[in-house]
Short mmCIF file of all heavy atoms in Angstrom, two decimals:
data_model
loop_
_atom_site.label_atom_id
_atom_site.label_comp_id
_atom_site.label_asym_id
_atom_site.label_seq_id
_atom_site.Cartn_x
_atom_site.Cartn_y
_atom_site.Cartn_z
N MET O 1 -10.73 103.70 152.76
CA MET O 1 -11.02 104.72 151.77
C MET O 1 -9.82 105.66 151.66
O MET O 1 -9.24 106.05 152.66
CB MET O 1 -12.28 105.50 152.15
CG MET O 1 -12.60 106.56 151.12
SD MET O 1 -13.77 107.81 151.64
CE MET O 1 -15.30 106.95 151.62
N ILE O 2 -9.48 106.05 150.45
CA ILE O 2 -8.38 106.96 150.22
C ILE O 2 -8.87 108.40 150.41
O ILE O 2 -9.93 108.78 149.89
CB ILE O 2 -7.82 106.79 148.79
CG1 ILE O 2 -7.27 105.38 148.61
CG2 ILE O 2 -6.76 107.82 148.50
CD1 ILE O 2 -6.88 105.06 147.19
N ASP O 3 -8.10 109.18 151.16
CA ASP O 3 -8.45 110.58 151.39
C ASP O 3 -7.88 111.41 150.25
O ASP O 3 -6.71 111.82 150.28
CB ASP O 3 -7.90 111.04 152.74
CG ASP O 3 -8.24 112.49 153.05
OD1 ASP O 3 -9.03 113.10 152.28
OD2 ASP O 3 -7.73 113.00 154.05
N LEU O 4 -8.70 111.66 149.23
CA LEU O 4 -8.24 112.43 148.08
C LEU O 4 -7.97 113.89 148.44
O LEU O 4 -7.13 114.53 147.82
CB LEU O 4 -9.25 112.33 146.94
CG LEU O 4 -9.46 110.92 146.38
CD1 LEU O 4 -10.52 110.95 145.29
CD2 LEU O 4 -8.15 110.36 145.84
N ASN O 5 -8.66 114.42 149.45
CA ASN O 5 -8.41 115.79 149.87
C ASN O 5 -6.98 115.97 150.35
O ASN O 5 -6.39 117.03 150.20
CB ASN O 5 -9.37 116.22 150.98
CG ASN O 5 -10.71 116.67 150.45
OD1 ASN O 5 -10.87 116.94 149.26
ND2 ASN O 5 -11.69 116.73 151.32
N ALA O 6 -6.40 114.92 150.94
CA ALA O 6 -5.02 115.01 151.45
C ALA O 6 -4.03 115.23 150.32
O ALA O 6 -2.94 115.75 150.54
CB ALA O 6 -4.67 113.75 152.23
N MET O 7 -4.39 114.84 149.10
CA MET O 7 -3.50 114.99 147.96
C MET O 7 -3.60 116.36 147.29
O MET O 7 -2.81 116.67 146.41
CB MET O 7 -3.81 113.91 146.92
CG MET O 7 -3.49 112.52 147.39
SD MET O 7 -3.65 111.41 145.99
CE MET O 7 -4.59 110.11 146.72
N LEU O 8 -4.58 117.17 147.68
CA LEU O 8 -4.74 118.47 147.07
C LEU O 8 -3.56 119.38 147.44
O LEU O 8 -3.13 119.40 148.59
CB LEU O 8 -6.05 119.13 147.51
CG LEU O 8 -7.31 118.45 147.01
CD1 LEU O 8 -8.55 119.14 147.61
CD2 LEU O 8 -7.38 118.47 145.49
N ALA O 9 -3.07 120.10 146.45
CA ALA O 9 -1.91 120.97 146.64
C ALA O 9 -2.21 122.36 146.08
O ALA O 9 -3.10 122.51 145.24
CB ALA O 9 -0.70 120.37 145.95
N PRO O 10 -1.47 123.37 146.54
CA PRO O 10 -1.66 124.71 145.99
C PRO O 10 -1.58 124.70 144.46
O PRO O 10 -0.72 124.04 143.88
CB PRO O 10 -0.50 125.50 146.59
CG PRO O 10 -0.27 124.82 147.90
CD PRO O 10 -0.47 123.35 147.61
N GLY O 11 -2.52 125.39 143.86
CA GLY O 11 -2.60 125.46 142.40
C GLY O 11 -3.64 124.54 141.80
O GLY O 11 -4.09 124.78 140.68
N ASN O 12 -4.03 123.48 142.54
CA ASN O 12 -5.09 122.59 142.02
C ASN O 12 -6.39 123.38 141.88
O ASN O 12 -6.68 124.26 142.67
CB ASN O 12 -5.33 121.41 142.96
CG ASN O 12 -4.22 120.39 142.99
OD1 ASN O 12 -4.07 119.71 143.99
ND2 ASN O 12 -3.45 120.24 141.94
N ILE O 13 -7.18 123.01 140.87
CA ILE O 13 -8.49 123.63 140.66
C ILE O 13 -9.55 122.63 141.12
O ILE O 13 -9.53 121.46 140.73
CB ILE O 13 -8.69 123.98 139.17
CG1 ILE O 13 -7.55 124.88 138.66
CG2 ILE O 13 -10.06 124.62 138.96
CD1 ILE O 13 -7.44 126.21 139.37
N VAL O 14 -10.47 123.10 141.97
CA VAL O 14 -11.49 122.24 142.56
C VAL O 14 -12.86 122.90 142.49
O VAL O 14 -12.99 124.09 142.25
CB VAL O 14 -11.16 121.93 144.04
CG1 VAL O 14 -9.87 121.14 144.16
CG2 VAL O 14 -11.09 123.20 144.88
N ARG O 15 -13.87 122.08 142.73
CA ARG O 15 -15.25 122.54 142.88
C ARG O 15 -15.76 122.05 144.23
O ARG O 15 -15.40 120.96 144.68
CB ARG O 15 -16.15 121.97 141.79
CG ARG O 15 -16.11 122.77 140.53
CD ARG O 15 -17.16 122.32 139.54
NE ARG O 15 -16.44 121.70 138.43
CZ ARG O 15 -16.69 120.55 137.89
NH1 ARG O 15 -17.69 119.81 138.31
NH2 ARG O 15 -15.96 120.09 136.91
N HIS O 16 -16.63 122.84 144.85
CA HIS O 16 -17.28 122.43 146.10
C HIS O 16 -18.56 121.69 145.71
O HIS O 16 -19.40 122.25 144.98
CB HIS O 16 -17.61 123.66 146.94
CG HIS O 16 -18.02 123.33 148.35
ND1 HIS O 16 -19.16 122.62 148.63
CD2 HIS O 16 -17.44 123.62 149.52
CE1 HIS O 16 -19.28 122.48 149.94
NE2 HIS O 16 -18.22 123.09 150.51
N PRO O 17 -18.73 120.45 146.15
CA PRO O 17 -19.89 119.66 145.71
C PRO O 17 -21.25 120.24 146.13
O PRO O 17 -22.25 120.02 145.44
CB PRO O 17 -19.66 118.29 146.34
CG PRO O 17 -18.79 118.56 147.52
CD PRO O 17 -17.91 119.72 147.11
N ASP O 18 -21.28 120.99 147.23
CA ASP O 18 -22.54 121.56 147.71
C ASP O 18 -22.81 122.97 147.23
O ASP O 18 -23.89 123.50 147.43
CB ASP O 18 -22.57 121.55 149.24
CG ASP O 18 -22.49 120.14 149.81
OD1 ASP O 18 -22.90 119.18 149.12
OD2 ASP O 18 -21.99 120.00 150.95
N HIS O 19 -21.81 123.59 146.58
CA HIS O 19 -21.95 124.98 146.13
C HIS O 19 -21.41 125.16 144.71
O HIS O 19 -20.42 125.87 144.50
CB HIS O 19 -21.23 125.93 147.10
CG HIS O 19 -21.82 125.96 148.46
ND1 HIS O 19 -22.99 126.63 148.74
CD2 HIS O 19 -21.42 125.38 149.61
CE1 HIS O 19 -23.28 126.46 150.02
NE2 HIS O 19 -22.34 125.71 150.56
N PRO O 20 -22.06 124.58 143.72
CA PRO O 20 -21.58 124.73 142.34
C PRO O 20 -21.60 126.19 141.88
O PRO O 20 -20.84 126.56 140.99
CB PRO O 20 -22.53 123.86 141.52
CG PRO O 20 -23.75 123.72 142.36
CD PRO O 20 -23.28 123.77 143.80
N GLU O 21 -22.43 127.00 142.50
CA GLU O 21 -22.52 128.42 142.12
C GLU O 21 -21.24 129.20 142.46
O GLU O 21 -21.02 130.30 141.97
CB GLU O 21 -23.74 129.09 142.78
CG GLU O 21 -23.64 129.29 144.26
CD GLU O 21 -24.01 128.10 145.13
OE1 GLU O 21 -24.23 126.99 144.61
OE2 GLU O 21 -24.09 128.27 146.36
N TRP O 22 -20.38 128.63 143.30
CA TRP O 22 -19.11 129.27 143.65
C TRP O 22 -18.12 129.22 142.49
O TRP O 22 -17.15 129.96 142.48
CB TRP O 22 -18.49 128.61 144.87
CG TRP O 22 -19.19 128.89 146.16
CD1 TRP O 22 -20.30 129.65 146.34
CD2 TRP O 22 -18.81 128.42 147.44
NE1 TRP O 22 -20.65 129.66 147.67
CE2 TRP O 22 -19.76 128.91 148.37
CE3 TRP O 22 -17.79 127.61 147.91
CZ2 TRP O 22 -19.67 128.63 149.73
CZ3 TRP O 22 -17.72 127.33 149.26
CH2 TRP O 22 -18.65 127.84 150.16
N GLY O 23 -18.33 128.32 141.55
CA GLY O 23 -17.42 128.17 140.42
C GLY O 23 -16.22 127.29 140.77
O GLY O 23 -16.21 126.60 141.79
N GLU O 24 -15.23 127.32 139.91
CA GLU O 24 -14.02 126.53 140.11
C GLU O 24 -13.00 127.36 140.86
O GLU O 24 -12.66 128.47 140.44
CB GLU O 24 -13.46 126.07 138.76
CG GLU O 24 -14.41 125.14 138.04
CD GLU O 24 -13.88 124.68 136.69
OE1 GLU O 24 -12.85 125.21 136.22
OE2 GLU O 24 -14.53 123.80 136.11
N GLY O 25 -12.54 126.82 142.00
CA GLY O 25 -11.62 127.56 142.84
C GLY O 25 -10.22 126.98 142.81
O GLY O 25 -10.02 125.81 142.48
N GLN O 26 -9.26 127.82 143.16
CA GLN O 26 -7.86 127.39 143.19
C GLN O 26 -7.44 127.16 144.64
O GLN O 26 -7.64 128.04 145.51
CB GLN O 26 -6.96 128.44 142.56
CG GLN O 26 -5.50 128.01 142.51
CD GLN O 26 -4.64 129.05 141.83
OE1 GLN O 26 -4.74 130.23 142.11
NE2 GLN O 26 -3.79 128.58 140.95
N VAL O 27 -6.87 125.99 144.91
CA VAL O 27 -6.37 125.65 146.24
C VAL O 27 -5.20 126.57 146.55
O VAL O 27 -4.27 126.71 145.76
CB VAL O 27 -5.94 124.16 146.32
CG1 VAL O 27 -5.29 123.86 147.66
CG2 VAL O 27 -7.13 123.24 146.07
N GLN O 28 -5.26 127.21 147.72
CA GLN O 28 -4.18 128.08 148.18
C GLN O 28 -3.27 127.35 149.16
O GLN O 28 -2.06 127.56 149.16
CB GLN O 28 -4.77 129.31 148.88
CG GLN O 28 -5.72 130.10 147.99
CD GLN O 28 -5.03 130.66 146.76
OE1 GLN O 28 -4.08 131.40 146.86
NE2 GLN O 28 -5.53 130.28 145.59
N SER O 29 -3.87 126.50 150.03
CA SER O 29 -3.08 125.72 150.98
C SER O 29 -3.90 124.52 151.46
O SER O 29 -5.12 124.50 151.32
CB SER O 29 -2.66 126.58 152.18
OG SER O 29 -3.79 126.97 152.93
N ASN O 30 -3.19 123.55 152.01
CA ASN O 30 -3.82 122.36 152.56
C ASN O 30 -2.98 121.96 153.78
O ASN O 30 -1.96 121.29 153.65
CB ASN O 30 -3.86 121.24 151.52
CG ASN O 30 -4.62 120.02 151.99
OD1 ASN O 30 -5.06 119.96 153.13
ND2 ASN O 30 -4.77 119.05 151.12
N ILE O 31 -3.41 122.40 154.96
CA ILE O 31 -2.66 122.18 156.18
C ILE O 31 -3.52 121.43 157.18
O ILE O 31 -4.55 121.92 157.62
CB ILE O 31 -2.20 123.53 156.78
CG1 ILE O 31 -1.34 124.27 155.77
CG2 ILE O 31 -1.43 123.30 158.09
CD1 ILE O 31 -1.02 125.70 156.14
N ARG O 32 -3.07 120.21 157.50
CA ARG O 32 -3.77 119.36 158.47
C ARG O 32 -5.28 119.26 158.21
O ARG O 32 -6.09 119.35 159.12
CB ARG O 32 -3.49 119.83 159.89
CG ARG O 32 -2.05 119.60 160.33
CD ARG O 32 -1.79 119.95 161.77
NE ARG O 32 -1.97 121.35 162.08
CZ ARG O 32 -1.05 122.30 161.89
NH1 ARG O 32 0.11 121.97 161.38
NH2 ARG O 32 -1.29 123.54 162.21
N GLY O 33 -5.65 119.09 156.94
CA GLY O 33 -7.04 118.87 156.58
C GLY O 33 -7.85 120.14 156.41
O GLY O 33 -9.03 120.07 156.07
N LYS O 34 -7.27 121.29 156.66
CA LYS O 34 -7.95 122.56 156.42
C LYS O 34 -7.47 123.07 155.07
O LYS O 34 -6.31 123.40 154.89
CB LYS O 34 -7.64 123.59 157.51
CG LYS O 34 -8.04 123.13 158.89
CD LYS O 34 -9.53 122.98 159.02
CE LYS O 34 -9.87 122.60 160.46
NZ LYS O 34 -11.17 122.00 160.57
N ILE O 35 -8.39 123.10 154.11
CA ILE O 35 -8.05 123.44 152.73
C ILE O 35 -8.58 124.84 152.43
O ILE O 35 -9.78 125.08 152.49
CB ILE O 35 -8.64 122.42 151.75
CG1 ILE O 35 -8.23 121.00 152.17
CG2 ILE O 35 -8.22 122.72 150.33
CD1 ILE O 35 -9.09 119.91 151.58
N THR O 36 -7.67 125.75 152.11
CA THR O 36 -8.06 127.11 151.76
C THR O 36 -8.15 127.18 150.24
O THR O 36 -7.20 126.84 149.54
CB THR O 36 -7.03 128.13 152.28
OG1 THR O 36 -6.92 127.98 153.70
CG2 THR O 36 -7.47 129.54 151.96
N VAL O 37 -9.33 127.62 149.78
CA VAL O 37 -9.60 127.69 148.34
C VAL O 37 -10.12 129.09 148.01
O VAL O 37 -10.97 129.62 148.74
CB VAL O 37 -10.65 126.64 147.92
CG1 VAL O 37 -10.88 126.68 146.42
CG2 VAL O 37 -10.25 125.23 148.36
N ASN O 38 -9.64 129.65 146.93
CA ASN O 38 -10.12 130.95 146.45
C ASN O 38 -11.09 130.70 145.30
O ASN O 38 -10.68 130.29 144.22
CB ASN O 38 -8.95 131.83 146.02
CG ASN O 38 -9.36 133.25 145.80
OD1 ASN O 38 -10.41 133.68 146.27
ND2 ASN O 38 -8.56 133.99 145.08
N PHE O 39 -12.38 130.93 145.57
CA PHE O 39 -13.43 130.73 144.57
C PHE O 39 -13.79 132.08 143.92
O PHE O 39 -13.89 133.09 144.63
CB PHE O 39 -14.69 130.15 145.21
CG PHE O 39 -14.55 128.73 145.66
CD1 PHE O 39 -14.27 128.43 146.99
CD2 PHE O 39 -14.70 127.68 144.77
CE1 PHE O 39 -14.15 127.12 147.41
CE2 PHE O 39 -14.59 126.36 145.18
CZ PHE O 39 -14.31 126.08 146.51
N PRO O 40 -14.04 132.11 142.60
CA PRO O 40 -14.34 133.38 141.93
C PRO O 40 -15.63 134.03 142.43
O PRO O 40 -15.74 135.26 142.45
CB PRO O 40 -14.44 133.01 140.45
CG PRO O 40 -14.67 131.55 140.41
CD PRO O 40 -14.03 130.99 141.66
N GLU O 41 -16.62 133.24 142.83
CA GLU O 41 -17.90 133.80 143.25
C GLU O 41 -18.13 133.79 144.75
O GLU O 41 -19.18 134.25 145.21
CB GLU O 41 -19.04 133.03 142.55
CG GLU O 41 -19.01 133.10 141.04
CD GLU O 41 -19.11 134.52 140.49
OE1 GLU O 41 -19.81 135.36 141.09
OE2 GLU O 41 -18.46 134.80 139.46
N ALA O 42 -17.16 133.29 145.53
CA ALA O 42 -17.35 133.23 146.97
C ALA O 42 -16.11 133.69 147.74
O ALA O 42 -16.14 133.73 148.96
CB ALA O 42 -17.71 131.81 147.40
N GLY O 43 -15.05 134.03 147.02
CA GLY O 43 -13.83 134.49 147.69
C GLY O 43 -13.11 133.34 148.38
O GLY O 43 -13.30 132.17 148.06
N LYS O 44 -12.29 133.69 149.35
CA LYS O 44 -11.47 132.71 150.05
C LYS O 44 -12.33 131.95 151.06
O LYS O 44 -13.01 132.57 151.89
CB LYS O 44 -10.32 133.40 150.77
CG LYS O 44 -9.31 132.43 151.35
CD LYS O 44 -8.19 133.14 152.07
CE LYS O 44 -7.35 133.90 151.08
NZ LYS O 44 -6.16 134.51 151.73
N GLN O 45 -12.30 130.64 150.97
CA GLN O 45 -13.07 129.77 151.87
C GLN O 45 -12.11 128.74 152.47
O GLN O 45 -11.25 128.20 151.77
CB GLN O 45 -14.17 129.02 151.10
CG GLN O 45 -15.17 129.92 150.43
CD GLN O 45 -16.05 130.66 151.41
OE1 GLN O 45 -16.46 130.11 152.43
NE2 GLN O 45 -16.34 131.92 151.11
N VAL O 46 -12.28 128.47 153.76
CA VAL O 46 -11.51 127.41 154.41
C VAL O 46 -12.45 126.21 154.57
O VAL O 46 -13.50 126.31 155.21
CB VAL O 46 -10.97 127.85 155.79
CG1 VAL O 46 -10.22 126.71 156.45
CG2 VAL O 46 -10.06 129.06 155.63
N ILE O 47 -12.05 125.09 153.97
CA ILE O 47 -12.88 123.89 153.91
C ILE O 47 -12.31 122.85 154.87
O ILE O 47 -11.10 122.61 154.88
CB ILE O 47 -12.88 123.30 152.47
CG1 ILE O 47 -13.22 124.35 151.42
CG2 ILE O 47 -13.77 122.07 152.38
CD1 ILE O 47 -14.60 124.93 151.50
N ASP O 48 -13.18 122.25 155.67
CA ASP O 48 -12.78 121.14 156.54
C ASP O 48 -12.76 119.87 155.69
O ASP O 48 -13.81 119.34 155.34
CB ASP O 48 -13.75 121.00 157.70
CG ASP O 48 -13.38 119.90 158.68
OD1 ASP O 48 -12.44 119.11 158.40
OD2 ASP O 48 -14.03 119.82 159.73
N GLY O 49 -11.57 119.40 155.36
CA GLY O 49 -11.40 118.24 154.49
C GLY O 49 -11.96 116.95 155.06
O GLY O 49 -12.18 116.00 154.32
N ALA O 50 -12.20 116.91 156.36
CA ALA O 50 -12.80 115.71 156.97
C ALA O 50 -14.32 115.67 156.76
O ALA O 50 -14.91 114.60 156.87
CB ALA O 50 -12.49 115.69 158.47
N ARG O 51 -14.92 116.80 156.44
CA ARG O 51 -16.37 116.87 156.25
C ARG O 51 -16.81 117.04 154.81
O ARG O 51 -17.89 116.59 154.43
CB ARG O 51 -16.94 118.02 157.09
CG ARG O 51 -16.72 117.82 158.57
CD ARG O 51 -17.30 118.93 159.41
NE ARG O 51 -18.67 119.19 159.04
CZ ARG O 51 -19.23 120.39 159.08
NH1 ARG O 51 -18.55 121.43 159.46
NH2 ARG O 51 -20.49 120.54 158.73
N ILE O 52 -15.99 117.74 154.01
CA ILE O 52 -16.35 118.04 152.62
C ILE O 52 -15.27 117.47 151.71
O ILE O 52 -14.08 117.72 151.92
CB ILE O 52 -16.44 119.56 152.38
CG1 ILE O 52 -17.46 120.20 153.31
CG2 ILE O 52 -16.76 119.86 150.92
CD1 ILE O 52 -18.89 119.76 153.09
N PHE O 53 -15.68 116.70 150.72
CA PHE O 53 -14.75 116.14 149.75
C PHE O 53 -14.85 116.96 148.47
O PHE O 53 -15.81 116.85 147.73
CB PHE O 53 -15.05 114.65 149.52
CG PHE O 53 -14.86 113.84 150.77
CD1 PHE O 53 -15.93 113.44 151.53
CD2 PHE O 53 -13.58 113.50 151.20
CE1 PHE O 53 -15.76 112.72 152.69
CE2 PHE O 53 -13.39 112.78 152.36
CZ PHE O 53 -14.48 112.39 153.12
N LEU O 54 -13.83 117.77 148.24
CA LEU O 54 -13.80 118.63 147.07
C LEU O 54 -13.61 117.81 145.81
O LEU O 54 -13.00 116.73 145.84
CB LEU O 54 -12.68 119.66 147.22
CG LEU O 54 -12.85 120.63 148.38
CD1 LEU O 54 -11.57 121.43 148.60
CD2 LEU O 54 -14.03 121.55 148.13
N VAL O 55 -14.12 118.34 144.71
CA VAL O 55 -14.03 117.67 143.42
C VAL O 55 -12.85 118.27 142.65
O VAL O 55 -12.85 119.47 142.36
CB VAL O 55 -15.34 117.85 142.61
CG1 VAL O 55 -15.21 117.20 141.24
CG2 VAL O 55 -16.52 117.29 143.39
N LEU O 56 -11.86 117.45 142.33
CA LEU O 56 -10.70 117.92 141.60
C LEU O 56 -11.05 118.11 140.13
O LEU O 56 -11.59 117.23 139.48
CB LEU O 56 -9.55 116.90 141.72
CG LEU O 56 -8.25 117.25 141.01
CD1 LEU O 56 -7.64 118.51 141.61
CD2 LEU O 56 -7.29 116.08 141.10
N VAL O 57 -10.77 119.32 139.61
CA VAL O 57 -11.04 119.65 138.22
C VAL O 57 -9.76 119.50 137.42
O VAL O 57 -9.75 118.89 136.35
CB VAL O 57 -11.62 121.08 138.08
CG1 VAL O 57 -11.79 121.45 136.63
CG2 VAL O 57 -12.94 121.17 138.81
N SER O 58 -8.66 120.07 137.92
CA SER O 58 -7.36 119.92 137.26
C SER O 58 -6.25 120.09 138.28
O SER O 58 -6.45 120.70 139.34
CB SER O 58 -7.20 120.90 136.11
OG SER O 58 -7.07 122.21 136.60
N PHE O 59 -5.09 119.59 137.93
CA PHE O 59 -3.94 119.70 138.85
C PHE O 59 -2.73 120.25 138.16
O PHE O 59 -2.70 120.51 137.01
CB PHE O 59 -3.60 118.36 139.48
CG PHE O 59 -3.42 117.23 138.52
CD1 PHE O 59 -2.16 116.90 138.08
CD2 PHE O 59 -4.51 116.52 138.06
CE1 PHE O 59 -1.98 115.84 137.19
CE2 PHE O 59 -4.34 115.48 137.17
CZ PHE O 59 -3.09 115.15 136.74
#
């Protein structure tokens, strides 16, 4: 399986599959599978890329 989270880069817009109410967030960093995303309704969140597969909206 291809790890699409590994391809996420700063500036990409993503959605969290389990929290659609957070809105579309912007990737701030992606370091060793820890993806920091700034969501408009939830603020800065650090996502474990091994457990949650973010949905890419735009790049």
Side-chain angles (χ1 to χ4, degrees):
M1 180 195 286
I2 298 172
D3 181 7
L4 297 178
N5 278 344
M7 294 189 226
L8 293 176
N12 289 153
I13 304 299
V14 296
R15 276 189 249 131
H16 192 296
D18 298 333
H19 295 284
E21 71 276 8
W22 288 0
E24 295 179 352
Q26 183 178 45
V27 174
Q28 303 298 302
S29 66
N30 186 355
I31 301 170
R32 291 186 295 277
K34 300 295 183 200
I35 307 161
T36 303
V37 182
N38 192 18
F39 290 98
E41 300 300 325
K44 189 181 293 185
Q45 300 291 321
V46 178
I47 309 295
D48 181 352
R51 297 181 51 213
I52 302 295
F53 297 101
L54 296 169
V55 177
L56 180 64
V57 175
S58 70
F59 52 96

